[in-house]
Amino acid sequence: MELLFWLALALVFYTYLGYGILLFILVRIKRVFVKEKAFDSSFEPEVTLVIPAYNEQDYIADKAQNSLELDYPKDKLRILFITDGSTDNTPKILEGIEGVEVTHENIRAGKSAAENRAMTLVKTPIVVFCDANTYLNPACIRNLVRHYTDPKVGAVSGEKRVLSKGADTASAAGEGLYWKYESTLKKWDSELYTIVGAAGELISFRSELVQDLEADTILDDFVQTMRICQQGYRVKYEPESYAAETASDNVKEELKRKVRIAAGGWQSMARLLPILLPIPNPVLTFQYISHRVLRWSISALALPLIFILNYFLIALGPLYEYLFYAQIAFYLLALLGWFLENRAIRVKALFVPYYFLMMNYAVFAGFFRWLKGSQKATWERAKRAKA
């Protein structure tokens, strides 16, 4: 029992902190032996920017304008909106904007199905997908495509940035901190070998490598990038290309999003089982398990096990007693954060334990939703906070 307790505790530590420390060391060692190649600034391939949009009439004109203002040759950038299933004026608004194309079907089959259809219209060597509720920096496309001078690169992910005001909600602060840490890990993952999964807010691919996904795929961006890795290509991370969006309006909205992601994580792990085998690519397996599989499954399951085992080990000495009370204090702080947030009383010190608990709860909720098959592939626009 004692050994199991320490193994579970070490697993959780490795998942959330230890992997980052190990990754930092490995990257530092690699820098000694391998130098990064300079980019070719003259490389300007033709690109199609694909933007799925569902009932975005309040924001779609601004999104179209943002896309038209990107710093990339106009004759080499095609802007294509997919508005499948939209029941508002989104398609009509786009049809009146010069410089963008729109394709629409009344059937709402989900983001993966819409992107599969969009790929039949893409004729350029590079395709970029981004969300309709994000705003891209002007040099976004240029910074993404420069990586494709390396024939081993099959996809390039941009960075997700969370916008928030000074009076942060627990959702905005927690999500913002999470993505700052996640972005750091992605930078090191990319430098070591490849990132394992990409943020769907901004992701690019070699068009020839993009595969049709199952229509019920929940995390299309993750599965697509991992299947490109399975083909022997790397997925790079480019923080100088970013998609900015506001945080979820409140923790309830963020929890809904996290549960959907967790359900998609379980679905993805079931469909990507071959990557768990270290042959033919042990580095990919190492990164995939360390950065994704543990966080989406085993570590979340280990947390209640640690608490229960710790209770039975208290009699062995004061160390176990202190650890048990520390866990109780942490979870009480998380619950206090939830209680105060629901009453619009925000204490920033409570945001981290609250967000951590919410993320791990979502793993359990997502598992049962995936198991029951109740998580739909169709996307639902979450309520976002005002920037």
Side-chain angles (χ1 to χ4, degrees), residues 72-101:
Y72 203 74
K74 303 303 178 186
D75 61 332
K76 294 185 176 181
L77 178 61
R78 180 188 180 196
I79 302 171
L80 175 64
F81 283 85
I82 321 168
T83 60
D84 290 2
S86 290
T87 56
D88 64 359
N89 290 321
T90 298
K92 292 182 180 179
I93 293 171
L94 289 169
E95 288 170 358
I97 299 176
E98 185 177 354
V100 306
E101 301 176 42

PDB file of all heavy atoms in Angstrom, residues 72-101:
ATOM      1  N   TYR A  72       0.321  38.640 -46.150  1.00  0.00           N
ATOM      2  CA  TYR A  72       0.725  37.570 -47.044  1.00  0.00           C
ATOM      3  C   TYR A  72       0.245  37.954 -48.446  1.00  0.00           C
ATOM      4  O   TYR A  72      -0.813  38.598 -48.584  1.00  0.00           O
ATOM      5  CB  TYR A  72       0.113  36.232 -46.617  1.00  0.00           C
ATOM      6  CG  TYR A  72       0.873  35.027 -47.117  1.00  0.00           C
ATOM      7  CD1 TYR A  72       2.094  34.672 -46.545  1.00  0.00           C
ATOM      8  CD2 TYR A  72       0.401  34.259 -48.181  1.00  0.00           C
ATOM      9  CE1 TYR A  72       2.810  33.578 -46.990  1.00  0.00           C
ATOM     10  CE2 TYR A  72       1.107  33.150 -48.642  1.00  0.00           C
ATOM     11  CZ  TYR A  72       2.320  32.820 -48.043  1.00  0.00           C
ATOM     12  OH  TYR A  72       3.033  31.732 -48.497  1.00  0.00           O
ATOM     13  N   PRO A  73       1.003  37.617 -49.487  1.00  0.00           N
ATOM     14  CA  PRO A  73       0.591  37.998 -50.846  1.00  0.00           C
ATOM     15  C   PRO A  73      -0.857  37.609 -51.146  1.00  0.00           C
ATOM     16  O   PRO A  73      -1.232  36.444 -50.990  1.00  0.00           O
ATOM     17  CB  PRO A  73       1.578  37.237 -51.735  1.00  0.00           C
ATOM     18  CG  PRO A  73       2.797  37.062 -50.881  1.00  0.00           C
ATOM     19  CD  PRO A  73       2.278  36.873 -49.479  1.00  0.00           C
ATOM     20  N   LYS A  74      -1.648  38.579 -51.564  1.00  0.00           N
ATOM     21  CA  LYS A  74      -3.080  38.338 -51.785  1.00  0.00           C
ATOM     22  C   LYS A  74      -3.328  37.287 -52.859  1.00  0.00           C
ATOM     23  O   LYS A  74      -4.314  36.539 -52.786  1.00  0.00           O
ATOM     24  CB  LYS A  74      -3.777  39.651 -52.169  1.00  0.00           C
ATOM     25  CG  LYS A  74      -3.603  40.772 -51.143  1.00  0.00           C
ATOM     26  CD  LYS A  74      -4.097  40.357 -49.769  1.00  0.00           C
ATOM     27  CE  LYS A  74      -3.883  41.474 -48.744  1.00  0.00           C
ATOM     28  NZ  LYS A  74      -4.219  41.028 -47.368  1.00  0.00           N
ATOM     29  N   ASP A  75      -2.431  37.229 -53.850  1.00  0.00           N
ATOM     30  CA  ASP A  75      -2.630  36.264 -54.928  1.00  0.00           C
ATOM     31  C   ASP A  75      -2.226  34.849 -54.534  1.00  0.00           C
ATOM     32  O   ASP A  75      -2.415  33.901 -55.300  1.00  0.00           O
ATOM     33  CB  ASP A  75      -1.856  36.705 -56.173  1.00  0.00           C
ATOM     34  CG  ASP A  75      -0.353  36.793 -55.924  1.00  0.00           C
ATOM     35  OD1 ASP A  75       0.047  37.049 -54.764  1.00  0.00           O
ATOM     36  OD2 ASP A  75       0.424  36.602 -56.878  1.00  0.00           O
ATOM     37  N   LYS A  76      -1.672  34.711 -53.330  1.00  0.00           N
ATOM     38  CA  LYS A  76      -1.263  33.390 -52.850  1.00  0.00           C
ATOM     39  C   LYS A  76      -2.053  32.930 -51.630  1.00  0.00           C
ATOM     40  O   LYS A  76      -1.767  31.866 -51.084  1.00  0.00           O
ATOM     41  CB  LYS A  76       0.232  33.392 -52.524  1.00  0.00           C
ATOM     42  CG  LYS A  76       1.127  33.582 -53.746  1.00  0.00           C
ATOM     43  CD  LYS A  76       2.592  33.458 -53.374  1.00  0.00           C
ATOM     44  CE  LYS A  76       3.471  33.562 -54.607  1.00  0.00           C
ATOM     45  NZ  LYS A  76       4.920  33.408 -54.275  1.00  0.00           N
ATOM     46  N   LEU A  77      -3.019  33.731 -51.207  1.00  0.00           N
ATOM     47  CA  LEU A  77      -3.823  33.380 -50.030  1.00  0.00           C
ATOM     48  C   LEU A  77      -5.301  33.338 -50.393  1.00  0.00           C
ATOM     49  O   LEU A  77      -5.899  34.351 -50.762  1.00  0.00           O
ATOM     50  CB  LEU A  77      -3.597  34.398 -48.906  1.00  0.00           C
ATOM     51  CG  LEU A  77      -4.412  34.161 -47.628  1.00  0.00           C
ATOM     52  CD1 LEU A  77      -4.061  32.813 -47.001  1.00  0.00           C
ATOM     53  CD2 LEU A  77      -4.176  35.291 -46.628  1.00  0.00           C
ATOM     54  N   ARG A  78      -5.877  32.168 -50.265  1.00  0.00           N
ATOM     55  CA  ARG A  78      -7.306  31.981 -50.496  1.00  0.00           C
ATOM     56  C   ARG A  78      -7.999  31.843 -49.149  1.00  0.00           C
ATOM     57  O   ARG A  78      -7.551  31.070 -48.296  1.00  0.00           O
ATOM     58  CB  ARG A  78      -7.536  30.727 -51.330  1.00  0.00           C
ATOM     59  CG  ARG A  78      -8.993  30.424 -51.630  1.00  0.00           C
ATOM     60  CD  ARG A  78      -9.108  29.059 -52.279  1.00  0.00           C
ATOM     61  NE  ARG A  78     -10.481  28.699 -52.596  1.00  0.00           N
ATOM     62  CZ  ARG A  78     -10.885  27.461 -52.877  1.00  0.00           C
ATOM     63  NH1 ARG A  78      -9.998  26.468 -52.897  1.00  0.00           N
ATOM     64  NH2 ARG A  78     -12.159  27.216 -53.147  1.00  0.00           N
ATOM     65  N   ILE A  79      -9.072  32.588 -48.929  1.00  0.00           N
ATOM     66  CA  ILE A  79      -9.783  32.581 -47.654  1.00  0.00           C
ATOM     67  C   ILE A  79     -11.146  31.914 -47.857  1.00  0.00           C
ATOM     68  O   ILE A  79     -11.992  32.423 -48.604  1.00  0.00           O
ATOM     69  CB  ILE A  79      -9.955  34.008 -47.102  1.00  0.00           C
ATOM     70  CG1 ILE A  79      -8.577  34.661 -46.927  1.00  0.00           C
ATOM     71  CG2 ILE A  79     -10.707  33.991 -45.773  1.00  0.00           C
ATOM     72  CD1 ILE A  79      -8.633  36.135 -46.599  1.00  0.00           C
ATOM     73  N   LEU A  80     -11.341  30.780 -47.193  1.00  0.00           N
ATOM     74  CA  LEU A  80     -12.543  29.980 -47.404  1.00  0.00           C
ATOM     75  C   LEU A  80     -13.267  29.753 -46.083  1.00  0.00           C
ATOM     76  O   LEU A  80     -12.708  29.177 -45.144  1.00  0.00           O
ATOM     77  CB  LEU A  80     -12.160  28.634 -48.027  1.00  0.00           C
ATOM     78  CG  LEU A  80     -13.266  27.604 -48.229  1.00  0.00           C
ATOM     79  CD1 LEU A  80     -14.303  28.110 -49.229  1.00  0.00           C
ATOM     80  CD2 LEU A  80     -12.672  26.266 -48.697  1.00  0.00           C
ATOM     81  N   PHE A  81     -14.507  30.197 -45.995  1.00  0.00           N
ATOM     82  CA  PHE A  81     -15.346  29.973 -44.818  1.00  0.00           C
ATOM     83  C   PHE A  81     -16.291  28.793 -45.076  1.00  0.00           C
ATOM     84  O   PHE A  81     -16.874  28.678 -46.154  1.00  0.00           O
ATOM     85  CB  PHE A  81     -16.190  31.210 -44.503  1.00  0.00           C
ATOM     86  CG  PHE A  81     -15.430  32.324 -43.836  1.00  0.00           C
ATOM     87  CD1 PHE A  81     -14.712  33.248 -44.603  1.00  0.00           C
ATOM     88  CD2 PHE A  81     -15.430  32.464 -42.458  1.00  0.00           C
ATOM     89  CE1 PHE A  81     -14.012  34.282 -43.996  1.00  0.00           C
ATOM     90  CE2 PHE A  81     -14.739  33.489 -41.843  1.00  0.00           C
ATOM     91  CZ  PHE A  81     -14.017  34.394 -42.608  1.00  0.00           C
ATOM     92  N   ILE A  82     -16.442  27.927 -44.066  1.00  0.00           N
ATOM     93  CA  ILE A  82     -17.417  26.830 -44.121  1.00  0.00           C
ATOM     94  C   ILE A  82     -18.497  27.140 -43.094  1.00  0.00           C
ATOM     95  O   ILE A  82     -18.209  27.227 -41.900  1.00  0.00           O
ATOM     96  CB  ILE A  82     -16.793  25.477 -43.748  1.00  0.00           C
ATOM     97  CG1 ILE A  82     -15.390  25.344 -44.322  1.00  0.00           C
ATOM     98  CG2 ILE A  82     -17.666  24.333 -44.200  1.00  0.00           C
ATOM     99  CD1 ILE A  82     -14.645  24.164 -43.748  1.00  0.00           C
ATOM    100  N   THR A  83     -19.724  27.290 -43.526  1.00  0.00           N
ATOM    101  CA  THR A  83     -20.793  27.683 -42.598  1.00  0.00           C
ATOM    102  C   THR A  83     -21.869  26.611 -42.482  1.00  0.00           C
ATOM    103  O   THR A  83     -23.042  26.912 -42.263  1.00  0.00           O
ATOM    104  CB  THR A  83     -21.428  29.011 -43.055  1.00  0.00           C
ATOM    105  OG1 THR A  83     -21.990  28.842 -44.375  1.00  0.00           O
ATOM    106  CG2 THR A  83     -20.410  30.130 -43.080  1.00  0.00           C
ATOM    107  N   ASP A  84     -21.497  25.366 -42.620  1.00  0.00           N
ATOM    108  CA  ASP A  84     -22.463  24.260 -42.589  1.00  0.00           C
ATOM    109  C   ASP A  84     -23.337  24.302 -41.336  1.00  0.00           C
ATOM    110  O   ASP A  84     -22.841  24.419 -40.215  1.00  0.00           O
ATOM    111  CB  ASP A  84     -21.728  22.920 -42.644  1.00  0.00           C
ATOM    112  CG  ASP A  84     -21.088  22.678 -43.994  1.00  0.00           C
ATOM    113  OD1 ASP A  84     -21.193  23.562 -44.863  1.00  0.00           O
ATOM    114  OD2 ASP A  84     -20.476  21.602 -44.184  1.00  0.00           O
ATOM    115  N   GLY A  85     -24.649  24.194 -41.560  1.00  0.00           N
ATOM    116  CA  GLY A  85     -25.594  24.120 -40.452  1.00  0.00           C
ATOM    117  C   GLY A  85     -25.986  25.451 -39.856  1.00  0.00           C
ATOM    118  O   GLY A  85     -26.904  25.503 -39.024  1.00  0.00           O
ATOM    119  N   SER A  86     -25.339  26.543 -40.249  1.00  0.00           N
ATOM    120  CA  SER A  86     -25.678  27.847 -39.671  1.00  0.00           C
ATOM    121  C   SER A  86     -27.114  28.222 -40.014  1.00  0.00           C
ATOM    122  O   SER A  86     -27.557  28.108 -41.160  1.00  0.00           O
ATOM    123  CB  SER A  86     -24.729  28.925 -40.192  1.00  0.00           C
ATOM    124  OG  SER A  86     -23.436  28.758 -39.663  1.00  0.00           O
ATOM    125  N   THR A  87     -27.823  28.693 -39.002  1.00  0.00           N
ATOM    126  CA  THR A  87     -29.230  29.071 -39.194  1.00  0.00           C
ATOM    127  C   THR A  87     -29.432  30.573 -39.067  1.00  0.00           C
ATOM    128  O   THR A  87     -30.563  31.048 -39.147  1.00  0.00           O
ATOM    129  CB  THR A  87     -30.117  28.346 -38.155  1.00  0.00           C
ATOM    130  OG1 THR A  87     -29.631  28.645 -36.837  1.00  0.00           O
ATOM    131  CG2 THR A  87     -30.082  26.846 -38.379  1.00  0.00           C
ATOM    132  N   ASP A  88     -28.355  31.330 -38.866  1.00  0.00           N
ATOM    133  CA  ASP A  88     -28.475  32.789 -38.771  1.00  0.00           C
ATOM    134  C   ASP A  88     -27.985  33.406 -40.087  1.00  0.00           C
ATOM    135  O   ASP A  88     -27.998  32.758 -41.128  1.00  0.00           O
ATOM    136  CB  ASP A  88     -27.698  33.315 -37.563  1.00  0.00           C
ATOM    137  CG  ASP A  88     -26.199  33.068 -37.681  1.00  0.00           C
ATOM    138  OD1 ASP A  88     -25.763  32.472 -38.707  1.00  0.00           O
ATOM    139  OD2 ASP A  88     -25.457  33.475 -36.779  1.00  0.00           O
ATOM    140  N   ASN A  89     -27.538  34.652 -40.052  1.00  0.00           N
ATOM    141  CA  ASN A  89     -27.143  35.361 -41.273  1.00  0.00           C
ATOM    142  C   ASN A  89     -25.654  35.230 -41.600  1.00  0.00           C
ATOM    143  O   ASN A  89     -25.150  35.983 -42.442  1.00  0.00           O
ATOM    144  CB  ASN A  89     -27.502  36.843 -41.134  1.00  0.00           C
ATOM    145  CG  ASN A  89     -28.995  37.077 -41.165  1.00  0.00           C
ATOM    146  OD1 ASN A  89     -29.720  36.435 -41.936  1.00  0.00           O
ATOM    147  ND2 ASN A  89     -29.480  37.976 -40.321  1.00  0.00           N
ATOM    148  N   THR A  90     -24.959  34.310 -40.943  1.00  0.00           N
ATOM    149  CA  THR A  90     -23.520  34.172 -41.186  1.00  0.00           C
ATOM    150  C   THR A  90     -23.188  33.998 -42.668  1.00  0.00           C
ATOM    151  O   THR A  90     -22.339  34.730 -43.203  1.00  0.00           O
ATOM    152  CB  THR A  90     -22.949  33.000 -40.363  1.00  0.00           C
ATOM    153  OG1 THR A  90     -23.122  33.270 -38.971  1.00  0.00           O
ATOM    154  CG2 THR A  90     -21.473  32.807 -40.646  1.00  0.00           C
ATOM    155  N   PRO A  91     -23.817  33.053 -43.399  1.00  0.00           N
ATOM    156  CA  PRO A  91     -23.473  32.893 -44.823  1.00  0.00           C
ATOM    157  C   PRO A  91     -23.749  34.145 -45.640  1.00  0.00           C
ATOM    158  O   PRO A  91     -22.946  34.527 -46.499  1.00  0.00           O
ATOM    159  CB  PRO A  91     -24.371  31.728 -45.273  1.00  0.00           C
ATOM    160  CG  PRO A  91     -24.723  31.000 -44.015  1.00  0.00           C
ATOM    161  CD  PRO A  91     -24.820  32.062 -42.965  1.00  0.00           C
ATOM    162  N   LYS A  92     -24.882  34.822 -45.397  1.00  0.00           N
ATOM    163  CA  LYS A  92     -25.240  36.013 -46.165  1.00  0.00           C
ATOM    164  C   LYS A  92     -24.254  37.149 -45.933  1.00  0.00           C
ATOM    165  O   LYS A  92     -23.897  37.882 -46.858  1.00  0.00           O
ATOM    166  CB  LYS A  92     -26.656  36.462 -45.805  1.00  0.00           C
ATOM    167  CG  LYS A  92     -27.745  35.495 -46.252  1.00  0.00           C
ATOM    168  CD  LYS A  92     -29.129  36.020 -45.904  1.00  0.00           C
ATOM    169  CE  LYS A  92     -30.206  35.050 -46.359  1.00  0.00           C
ATOM    170  NZ  LYS A  92     -31.577  35.532 -46.002  1.00  0.00           N
ATOM    171  N   ILE A  93     -23.831  37.320 -44.696  1.00  0.00           N
ATOM    172  CA  ILE A  93     -22.860  38.380 -44.390  1.00  0.00           C
ATOM    173  C   ILE A  93     -21.565  38.137 -45.153  1.00  0.00           C
ATOM    174  O   ILE A  93     -20.984  39.055 -45.748  1.00  0.00           O
ATOM    175  CB  ILE A  93     -22.592  38.444 -42.874  1.00  0.00           C
ATOM    176  CG1 ILE A  93     -23.852  38.903 -42.134  1.00  0.00           C
ATOM    177  CG2 ILE A  93     -21.423  39.381 -42.563  1.00  0.00           C
ATOM    178  CD1 ILE A  93     -23.739  38.795 -40.619  1.00  0.00           C
ATOM    179  N   LEU A  94     -21.104  36.898 -45.172  1.00  0.00           N
ATOM    180  CA  LEU A  94     -19.851  36.569 -45.848  1.00  0.00           C
ATOM    181  C   LEU A  94     -19.953  36.725 -47.354  1.00  0.00           C
ATOM    182  O   LEU A  94     -18.993  37.144 -48.013  1.00  0.00           O
ATOM    183  CB  LEU A  94     -19.440  35.138 -45.502  1.00  0.00           C
ATOM    184  CG  LEU A  94     -18.958  34.916 -44.064  1.00  0.00           C
ATOM    185  CD1 LEU A  94     -18.843  33.422 -43.762  1.00  0.00           C
ATOM    186  CD2 LEU A  94     -17.621  35.604 -43.829  1.00  0.00           C
ATOM    187  N   GLU A  95     -21.098  36.393 -47.900  1.00  0.00           N
ATOM    188  CA  GLU A  95     -21.287  36.519 -49.350  1.00  0.00           C
ATOM    189  C   GLU A  95     -21.165  37.956 -49.824  1.00  0.00           C
ATOM    190  O   GLU A  95     -20.867  38.215 -50.992  1.00  0.00           O
ATOM    191  CB  GLU A  95     -22.643  35.938 -49.747  1.00  0.00           C
ATOM    192  CG  GLU A  95     -22.691  34.400 -49.662  1.00  0.00           C
ATOM    193  CD  GLU A  95     -24.091  33.843 -49.824  1.00  0.00           C
ATOM    194  OE1 GLU A  95     -25.031  34.666 -49.975  1.00  0.00           O
ATOM    195  OE2 GLU A  95     -24.255  32.613 -49.792  1.00  0.00           O
ATOM    196  N   GLY A  96     -21.378  38.896 -48.908  1.00  0.00           N
ATOM    197  CA  GLY A  96     -21.274  40.310 -49.277  1.00  0.00           C
ATOM    198  C   GLY A  96     -19.896  40.904 -49.062  1.00  0.00           C
ATOM    199  O   GLY A  96     -19.706  42.112 -49.251  1.00  0.00           O
ATOM    200  N   ILE A  97     -18.925  40.093 -48.674  1.00  0.00           N
ATOM    201  CA  ILE A  97     -17.575  40.594 -48.402  1.00  0.00           C
ATOM    202  C   ILE A  97     -16.638  40.158 -49.520  1.00  0.00           C
ATOM    203  O   ILE A  97     -16.455  38.968 -49.773  1.00  0.00           O
ATOM    204  CB  ILE A  97     -17.051  40.066 -47.044  1.00  0.00           C
ATOM    205  CG1 ILE A  97     -17.975  40.544 -45.913  1.00  0.00           C
ATOM    206  CG2 ILE A  97     -15.627  40.550 -46.802  1.00  0.00           C
ATOM    207  CD1 ILE A  97     -17.602  40.013 -44.548  1.00  0.00           C
ATOM    208  N   GLU A  98     -16.052  41.128 -50.191  1.00  0.00           N
ATOM    209  CA  GLU A  98     -15.148  40.841 -51.300  1.00  0.00           C
ATOM    210  C   GLU A  98     -13.826  40.286 -50.774  1.00  0.00           C
ATOM    211  O   GLU A  98     -13.282  40.770 -49.787  1.00  0.00           O
ATOM    212  CB  GLU A  98     -14.883  42.125 -52.089  1.00  0.00           C
ATOM    213  CG  GLU A  98     -14.052  41.913 -53.346  1.00  0.00           C
ATOM    214  CD  GLU A  98     -13.868  43.193 -54.135  1.00  0.00           C
ATOM    215  OE1 GLU A  98     -14.475  44.214 -53.771  1.00  0.00           O
ATOM    216  OE2 GLU A  98     -13.094  43.156 -55.116  1.00  0.00           O
ATOM    217  N   GLY A  99     -13.337  39.266 -51.458  1.00  0.00           N
ATOM    218  CA  GLY A  99     -12.040  38.707 -51.088  1.00  0.00           C
ATOM    219  C   GLY A  99     -12.122  37.418 -50.295  1.00  0.00           C
ATOM    220  O   GLY A  99     -11.089  36.791 -50.034  1.00  0.00           O
ATOM    221  N   VAL A 100     -13.329  37.023 -49.887  1.00  0.00           N
ATOM    222  CA  VAL A 100     -13.483  35.756 -49.177  1.00  0.00           C
ATOM    223  C   VAL A 100     -14.475  34.875 -49.924  1.00  0.00           C
ATOM    224  O   VAL A 100     -15.343  35.366 -50.649  1.00  0.00           O
ATOM    225  CB  VAL A 100     -13.956  35.952 -47.717  1.00  0.00           C
ATOM    226  CG1 VAL A 100     -13.028  36.899 -46.978  1.00  0.00           C
ATOM    227  CG2 VAL A 100     -15.394  36.449 -47.658  1.00  0.00           C
ATOM    228  N   GLU A 101     -14.350  33.580 -49.751  1.00  0.00           N
ATOM    229  CA  GLU A 101     -15.278  32.619 -50.333  1.00  0.00           C
ATOM    230  C   GLU A 101     -16.056  31.944 -49.209  1.00  0.00           C
ATOM    231  O   GLU A 101     -15.557  31.816 -48.087  1.00  0.00           O
ATOM    232  CB  GLU A 101     -14.520  31.560 -51.138  1.00  0.00           C
ATOM    233  CG  GLU A 101     -13.697  32.113 -52.273  1.00  0.00           C
ATOM    234  CD  GLU A 101     -12.886  31.037 -52.964  1.00  0.00           C
ATOM    235  OE1 GLU A 101     -13.430  29.929 -53.192  1.00  0.00           O
ATOM    236  OE2 GLU A 101     -11.697  31.272 -53.252  1.00  0.00           O
TER     237      GLU A 101
END
